[in-house]
């Protein structure tokens, strides 16, 4: 008796399989959430250049194209015009320097000014005079009440005098001046406007234009370098793993010798001698050191795949070595190669940004690393121009986060065990 007949005779309801809900209803490994989120982040950075030019002028990324040192109009505590900020600062400064006429005191005699106090403190129990206020260089009597003249200096001693005494009007005004934060901190800059939503820097560049131009170019350096390095690595890795023999020994020796070279130190030396460094030149320099890692990775995969059944069948059928390597093995290794490629893109962007932050990048082309270099050179951190160095760092975080999510998603796509663990944890 079949299971359907048993369910009819016993009267038990037949359980229908529940349909999958979501984007992965077809159970495709490529519909991975991490991979799709990371890919969307990278595509967003990549399309900022061509799409952003349609809405924002690229010419504002040139020096002297905008006013200098404008903060973003949406900065906390800052209004759109900046007039309130300047007025507030001027009023506080005038209040700090003003002295009421009622507080004016006649000039004290030398005896009263000295107050009988010595440099070692004198008599700490002596009553303070009008001018001295009990203020010796060692503190005097901390329990004595300050007079009118001494109260203006907060007790008058060089060690602080009475810390429990309440500050006067002038001292409180000076404290309020020091505690001004938020809007008044931007008063030394120009009046912001929505014509420059992300502000400007000391060279007269609009930060939004610099971001739209520099972020895709920084990603472009990584893509070019990783693509060239990956092509060389795949070609050498397939050749070494499939051919074997002396070919494998030569390629393996070269890759092992280059992979131990400190890449950043060599690039710093090369970049210091190159007078004009373009994006393409920097990408070629990076690609020269990015091929050993994918070569070793692809070689290890080919060594494990060349003895499988479908490879032996293709070899028996008379297929050429090229068609076996790139027609039979290559499709099965695409997820692994893609994961290695995203890792190389991250390494290339990190190396290029490190060179640019040191001032060894393309000086005439806006990139994220060169923007940070100019911000460091102009002391943007000490001047409070956080938008100059903070915006490029946020863009780099988005790029690296997207590439990391893509690498993690591709690992899950290529490794069925990771997908099985994920499904088991979700169940």
């Amino acid at each position: 008796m079949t299971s359907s007949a048993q369910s009819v005779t016993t009267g038990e309801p037949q359980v229908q399989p529940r349909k999958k809900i979501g984007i992965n209803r077809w159970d495709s490994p490529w519909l991975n959430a991490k991979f799709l989120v990371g890919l969307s982040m990278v595509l967003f950075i990549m399309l900022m250049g061509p799409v952003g030019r349609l809405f924002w002028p690229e010419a504002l990324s040139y020096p002297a194209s905008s006013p200098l040192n404008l903060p973003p109009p949406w900065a906390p505590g800052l209004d759109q015009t900046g007039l309130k900020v300047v007025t507030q600062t001027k009023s506080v400064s005038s209040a700090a320097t003003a002295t009421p006429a009622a507080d004016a005191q006649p000039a004290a005699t030398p005896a009263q000014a000295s107050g009988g106090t010595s440099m070692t403190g004198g008599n700490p129990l002596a009553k303070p005079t009008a001018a001295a206020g009990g203020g010796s260089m060692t503190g005097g009597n901390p329990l004595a009440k300050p007079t009118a003249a001494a109260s203006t200096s907060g007790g008058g001693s060089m060690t602080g005098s009475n810390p429990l005494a309440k500050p006067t009007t002038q001292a409180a005004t000076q404290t309020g001046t020091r505690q001004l934060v938020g809007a008044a901190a931007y008063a030394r800059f120009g009046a912001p406007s929505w014509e420059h939503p992300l502000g400007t820097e000391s060279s007269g560049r609009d930060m939004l234009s610099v971001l739209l131009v520099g972020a895709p170019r920084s990603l472009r350096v990584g893509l070019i370098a990783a693509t060239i390095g990956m092509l060389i690595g795949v070609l050498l890795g397939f050749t070494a793993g499939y051919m074997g023999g002396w070919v494998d020994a030569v390629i393996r020796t070269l890759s092992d010798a280059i992979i131990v070279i400190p890449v950043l130190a060599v690039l710093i030396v090369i970049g210091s001698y190159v007078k004009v460094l373009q994006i393409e030149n920097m990408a070629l320099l990076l690609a020269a050191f990015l091929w050993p890692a994918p070569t070793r990775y692809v070689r290890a995969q080919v060594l494990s795949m060349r003895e499988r059944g479908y490879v032996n069948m293709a070899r028996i059928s008379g297929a050429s070595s090229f068609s076996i390597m790139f027609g039979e093995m290559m499709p099965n290794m695409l997820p692994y190669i893609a994961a290695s490629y995203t890792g190389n893109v991250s390494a290339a962007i990190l190396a290029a940004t490190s060179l640019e932050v040191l001032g060894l990048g393309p000086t005439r082309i806006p990139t994220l690393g060169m923007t940070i270099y100019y911000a460091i050179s102009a002391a943007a951190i000490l001047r409070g121009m956080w938008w100059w160095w903070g915006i490029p760092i946020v863009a780099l975080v988005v790029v690296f986060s997207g590439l990391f999510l893509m690498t993690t998603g591709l690992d899950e796509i290529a490794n069925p065990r990771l997908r099985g663990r994920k499904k088991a944890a979700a169940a």
Side-chain angles (χ1 to χ4, degrees):
M1 184 180 295
T2 61
S3 59
S4 60
Q6 289 179 357
S7 62
V8 172
T9 55
T10 57
E12 296 179 358
Q14 188 175 1
V15 179
Q16 297 291 337
R18 186 175 59 181
K19 296 182 179 180
K20 294 183 179 182
I21 302 176
I23 61 174
N24 202 8
R25 65 180 64 181
W26 299 283
D27 197 20
S28 175
W30 289 97
L31 295 177
N32 186 281
K34 296 179 182 178
F35 173 74
L36 294 178
V37 172
L39 181 62
S40 61
M41 296 171 67
V42 174
L43 288 178
F44 172 76
I45 297 296
M46 188 182 302
L47 296 176
M48 285 178 62
V51 177
R53 296 172 186 172
L54 303 176
F55 303 97
W56 201 255
E58 184 181 357
L60 294 179
S61 62
Y62 302 146
S65 61
S66 303
L68 307 181
N69 302 331
L70 296 184
W74 44 267
L78 187 65
D79 60 349
Q80 184 174 355
T81 60
L83 299 178
K84 186 182 299 183
V85 175
V86 178
T87 305
Q88 181 182 2
T89 306
K90 288 183 178 180
S91 62
V92 171
S93 301
S94 60
T97 56
T99 303
D103 293 340
Q105 297 291 337
T109 61
Q112 291 176 342
S114 60
T117 57
S118 65
M119 295 185 67
T120 57
N123 185 6
L125 302 179
K127 294 183 178 180
T129 59
S136 65
M137 296 184 68
T138 55
N141 186 4
L143 301 180
K145 296 182 179 180
T147 58
S151 61
T152 58
S153 59
S157 66
M158 297 184 66
T159 56
S161 187
N162 188 3
L164 303 179
K166 296 182 178 180
T168 58
T169 304
Q170 184 176 357
T173 306
Q174 293 175 356
T175 304
T177 305
R178 291 192 300 266
Q179 293 178 352
L180 275 178
V181 293
Y186 301 100
R188 59 185 178 276
F189 304 123
S193 64
W194 287 105
E195 296 179 357
H196 307 282
L198 298 183
T200 62
E201 38 97 90
S202 295
S203 299
R205 296 179 179 180
D206 180 73
M207 289 303 301
L208 179 57
S209 297
V210 171
L211 181 64
L212 295 177
V213 175
R217 289 183 177 178
S218 297
L219 183 60
R220 179 184 172 187
V221 173
L223 291 175
I224 294 175
T227 301
I228 297 175
M230 200 68 197
L231 290 177
I232 298 175
V234 168
L235 182 61
L236 295 179
F238 269 103
T239 304
Y242 186 79
M243 301 298 294
W246 66 270
V247 178
D248 183 19
V250 171
I251 295 177
R252 187 179 68 252
T253 304
L254 287 176
S255 61
D256 292 343
I258 295 179
I259 203 171
V260 298
I261 297 176
V263 179
L264 185 58
V266 175
L267 291 177
I268 289 175
V269 174
I270 296 175
S272 61
Y273 281 98
V274 177
K275 299 299 180 182
V276 180
L277 189 62
Q278 302 294 334
I279 288 181
E280 291 77 11
N281 300 336
M282 181 181 292
L284 292 176
L285 288 176
L286 294 173
F289 298 95
L290 288 178
W291 63 267
T295 298
R296 294 167 55 116
Y297 183 79
V298 173
R299 173 185 171 275
Q301 294 293 327
V302 172
L303 285 175
S304 64
M305 295 176 64
R306 68 178 183 179
E307 301 299 333
R308 295 185 181 180
Y310 68 92
V311 176
N312 293 326
M313 290 297 298
R315 189 183 298 112
I316 294 173
S317 63
S320 62
S321 300
F322 184 85
S323 61
I324 292 176
M325 288 188 295
F326 299 99
E328 300 292 337
M329 296 182 180
M330 185 75 168
N332 297 323
M333 293 182 59
L334 285 178
Y336 298 97
I337 294 175
S340 178
Y341 176 75
T342 54
N344 281 355
V345 173
S346 300
I349 295 176
L350 181 61
T353 305
S354 302
L355 288 177
E356 292 168 354
V357 170
L358 296 175
L360 301 177
T363 56
R364 299 181 179 180
I365 302 175
T367 58
L368 298 179
M370 292 305 300
T371 304
I372 298 175
Y373 166 73
Y374 290 133
I376 296 174
S377 301
I381 299 177
L382 299 179
R383 296 165 61 189
M385 300 178 65
W386 55 267
W387 59 91
W388 193 352
W389 53 268
I391 293 174
I393 290 178
V394 171
L396 288 173
V397 169
V398 173
V399 172
F400 286 120
S401 300
L403 292 173
F404 173 75
L405 290 175
M406 288 183 63
T407 305
T408 306
L410 288 170
D411 287 339
E412 295 180 358
I413 292 172
N415 194 347
R417 295 181 180 179
L418 295 179
R419 296 200 304 270
R421 293 175 184 175
K422 185 177 179 181
K423 291 181 180 179

